[in-house]
Amino acid sequence: MKSTNKTNNNNTATPFPSSLSYEPTSVLDPRATSSPASALSAATTDPCNIIQPSNPLDESDALSWLLYEKDNLSPPLKPYQHNFTDDLLDPFQPQITSFTHEYNHLELLVQASHLIDTGDLQSAHQLLARLNQYFPSPSGVPIHRAAFYFKEALLSALSLQDQPAEQPLSAVEVVCRINAQRLFSDLSPIPRFASFTANQSILEALDTIGQPPPSIHVIDFDLGLGGQWSSFSQAVAERSCLARMVPPAIRLTAVVQNRTPETTLAAENLCDFAQSLGLRFSVDIVCVAGIGFHALGRIQLIQGEPVAVVLSPAKVCLKSSGADTYKLLQHFLHIAVPRVVVSVDTDCFNPTSLSQSVASGLEFYGSLIESVEAAAASMGMGEEAVRRVELGIFRPKISEVVGSWCGQSEPFHEMLNGARLTPVGFSQNTVAQAEWLLRGASVDGYQVPRRDASLVLSWHGKDLVVTSAWRS
């Protein structure tokens, strides 16, 4: 794809070559690992006794799951979809025992969250306790397993005031989470799709800056294990090499709730990996616990340095639950003046109440578990692999769904519009490469439709990831 910046057409060299030179293999090539080097020993210990999938990569590379695809295909499963918000039941009326509908207990779970919305915490707790007999463990069909995790998350939220502060993950737990994430990427294209589309949007925004800057600043609200930025670093190094120019330094600011061993490990590994590529790379951690997004004032901005921001709607609410969350974020975006803001929505619902969050979450995570289960069956990995992903990835995310609802009645995209940002869509090259990426999925059923200016990864019509790019 040719650059859209016509003023650079006569330049003999640009800081980043056109997107055409950014082949999908720069993200997916198994020989070009983007995984932090120091994660090697952590993954090989494998204290969780996780079933290791067969793949062409070095098995000791704990984050190399971002870089390869699968070729085995199997017939798709028919997903279950039901709108649980059509009608909320009265859980304390006798007639509920006469219902024969298979999913009435799911509707009762939504009703319990509705009781929490209305402040009737005692009745909500009683109803959730009754649901223990229907969802005693994460078993059964995917949507019932999702219901179990939501039930547990709601019970935990109700008793939160009586619980001690959450303890940081131990070293063994961090390794377990790394391995669960690795399995998830083996079984699903979601991590690769989300990282690739976000990185490509940032790289294309930087293509328009003319002369190469001495440094670029990326602000991430969902660092996780940092796999996205190892891929980004590799892409920057490759583009700079092709342009025969000195690569810019990369400053990464990670906005997190608290500094944890997981955060520290990700930062150290990213710096080590970037150094192996010959890049100058630094990570600054900004913690928002206690003061919410007022902490964004601690982010160091340098005049003239191009800025890119990566947001996750659920993570935004999780990190700052006050009524002024969106206003503080808008204020920061006005000050930072980013060249691009990328929204990566991996929950795909924007509820205005906790009950809507649970209802939409049941459908979403039911489909997500179903897609992973289908891939595991196709690859011969068995139920144990799916269970590891559910416990290590989906259960914490469902807890975040319950804990991150912050009462924001304004949809996330309207918040971005309020920050004077406009969706810009994705280039044909990005769409083509995203579609090419899905050829490695182990099962059929995934699609990459465009919706307005967004790029969507769906499973049998159910959205799993929605990515959009915004500029001022």
Side-chain angles (χ1 to χ4, degrees):
M1 186 191 73
K2 295 181 181 179
S3 171
T4 57
N5 188 354
K6 297 181 179 180
T7 60
N8 290 337
N9 287 346
N10 297 326
N11 291 349
T12 59
T14 58
F16 300 104
S18 68
S19 298
L20 185 60
S21 65
Y22 184 46
E23 298 294 338
T25 52
S26 67
V27 174
L28 305 176
D29 189 349
R31 295 166 298 176
T33 179
S34 66
S35 182
S38 62
L40 301 181
S41 61
T44 53
T45 56
D46 196 16
C48 307
N49 192 28
I50 291 179
I51 299 174
Q52 298 297 336
S54 59
N55 61 74
L57 300 178
D58 180 359
E59 291 294 331
S60 64
D61 189 346
L63 295 180
S64 59
W65 32 265
L66 284 175
L67 306 176
Y68 61 90
E69 72 272 13
K70 304 292 182 184
D71 297 318
N72 186 28
L73 299 177
S74 66
L77 298 179
K78 181 180 179 181
Y80 172 80
Q81 293 187 352
H82 178 77
N83 186 0
F84 298 108
T85 57
D86 286 344
D87 49 13
L88 293 176
L89 305 177
D90 185 344
F92 300 107
Q93 292 298 322
Q95 67 264 24
I96 66 170
T97 58
S98 65
F99 284 174
T100 59
H101 191 278
E102 180 181 4
Y103 294 96
N104 62 341
H105 300 136
L106 301 177
E107 295 169 344
L108 294 182
L109 183 61
V110 176
Q111 181 65 51
S113 61
H114 176 70
L115 291 171
I116 297 176
D117 275 332
T118 60
D120 191 353
L121 303 185
Q122 182 177 0
S123 296
H125 196 282
Q126 292 174 354
L127 180 54
L128 289 170
R130 288 177 57 193
L131 287 173
N132 278 330
Q133 63 181 308
Y134 303 115
F135 304 116
S137 63
S139 59
V141 297
I143 199 167
H144 285 177
R145 280 146 41 204
F148 170 82
Y149 297 128
F150 271 101
K151 181 209 66 176
E152 293 297 300
L154 289 169
L155 283 171
S156 178
L158 285 175
S159 59
L160 187 62
Q161 64 272 19
D162 301 324
Q163 301 297 323
E166 183 178 357
Q167 297 298 315
L169 296 178
S170 66
V172 171
E173 290 172 325
V174 170
V175 173
C176 289
R177 183 163 295 185
I178 290 174
N179 283 326
Q181 185 67 57
R182 180 182 182 178
L183 271 175
F184 181 40
S185 193
D186 286 337
L187 296 169
S188 173
I190 288 177
R192 287 167 285 158
F193 177 88
S195 295
F196 170 74
T197 51
N199 287 345
Q200 190 72 356
S201 296
I202 296 172
L203 292 167
E204 290 178 358
L206 295 176
D207 276 344
T208 67
I209 61 180
Q211 294 300 317
S215 64
I216 55 179
H217 188 188
V218 183
I219 303 171
D220 187 8
F221 284 71
D222 188 13
L223 177 63
L225 296 171
Q228 174 182 345
W229 303 115
S230 54
S231 299
F232 180 79
S233 298
Q234 184 170 333
V236 169
E238 290 177 353
R239 289 177 166 227
S240 299
C241 180
L242 290 172
R244 298 183 179 180
M245 306 192 76
V246 176
I250 300 175
R251 288 203 307 125
L252 172 62
T253 296
V255 180
V256 301
Q257 190 75 10
N258 294 288
R259 180 184 286 271
T260 64
E262 186 177 0
T263 302
T264 302
L265 176 65
E268 292 176 351
N269 289 342
L270 284 171
C271 291
D272 291 342
F273 179 71
Q275 185 178 10
S276 71
L277 297 173
L279 296 178
R280 295 161 292 161
F281 193 103
S282 62
V283 181
D284 185 28
I285 307 296
V286 174
C287 301
V288 300
I291 62 175
F293 279 177
H294 292 284
L296 297 181
R298 300 172 181 171
I299 297 177
Q300 182 182 5
L301 300 172
I302 299 177
Q303 186 174 5
E305 181 182 54
V307 175
V309 178
V310 179
L311 297 172
S312 168
K315 292 292 185 179
V316 165
C317 283
L318 181 67
K319 291 177 171 62
S320 182
S321 59
D324 58 352
T325 293
Y326 281 3
K327 290 183 179 179
L328 290 171
L329 182 55
Q330 287 175 334
H331 177 69
F332 171 75
L333 294 175
H334 288 154
I335 296 175
V337 194
R339 290 192 177 272
V340 65
V341 175
V342 182
S343 171
V344 182
D345 187 356
T346 55
D347 287 326
C348 300
F349 47 89
N350 191 45
T352 57
S353 68
L354 180 59
S355 57
Q356 287 185 2
S357 185
V358 172
S360 300
L362 282 170
E363 295 184 24
F364 173 80
Y365 281 98
S367 296
L368 184 56
I369 293 173
E370 183 184 62
S371 68
V372 169
E373 190 172 62
S378 173
M379 298 165 63
M381 296 176 66
E383 297 180 357
E384 178 66 12
V386 180
R387 188 181 72 86
R388 294 289 186 182
V389 173
E390 288 183 22
L391 296 178
I393 305 297
F394 299 159
R395 182 172 65 176
K397 285 178 64 69
I398 288 173
S399 294
E400 290 180 357
V401 168
V402 172
S404 66
W405 179 71
C406 52
Q408 301 295 337
S409 59
E410 181 183 17
F412 196 74
H413 70 273
E414 291 185 10
M415 182 280 296
L416 294 174
N417 283 326
R420 302 173 188 172
L421 298 169
T422 304
V424 294
F426 292 87
S427 67
Q428 282 296 126
N429 185 55
T430 299
V431 175
Q433 293 187 61
E435 292 174 344
W436 182 91
L437 182 151
L438 291 188
R439 296 177 188 175
S442 60
V443 291
D444 288 332
Y446 291 104
Q447 294 179 323
V448 185
R450 293 196 200 190
R451 187 170 303 134
D452 299 326
S454 300
L455 200 57
V456 181
L457 173 63
S458 65
W459 160 261
H460 291 295
K462 180 63 179 180
D463 295 352
L464 300 181
V465 183
V466 179
T467 307
S468 57
W470 302 69
R471 299 186 192 179
S472 57

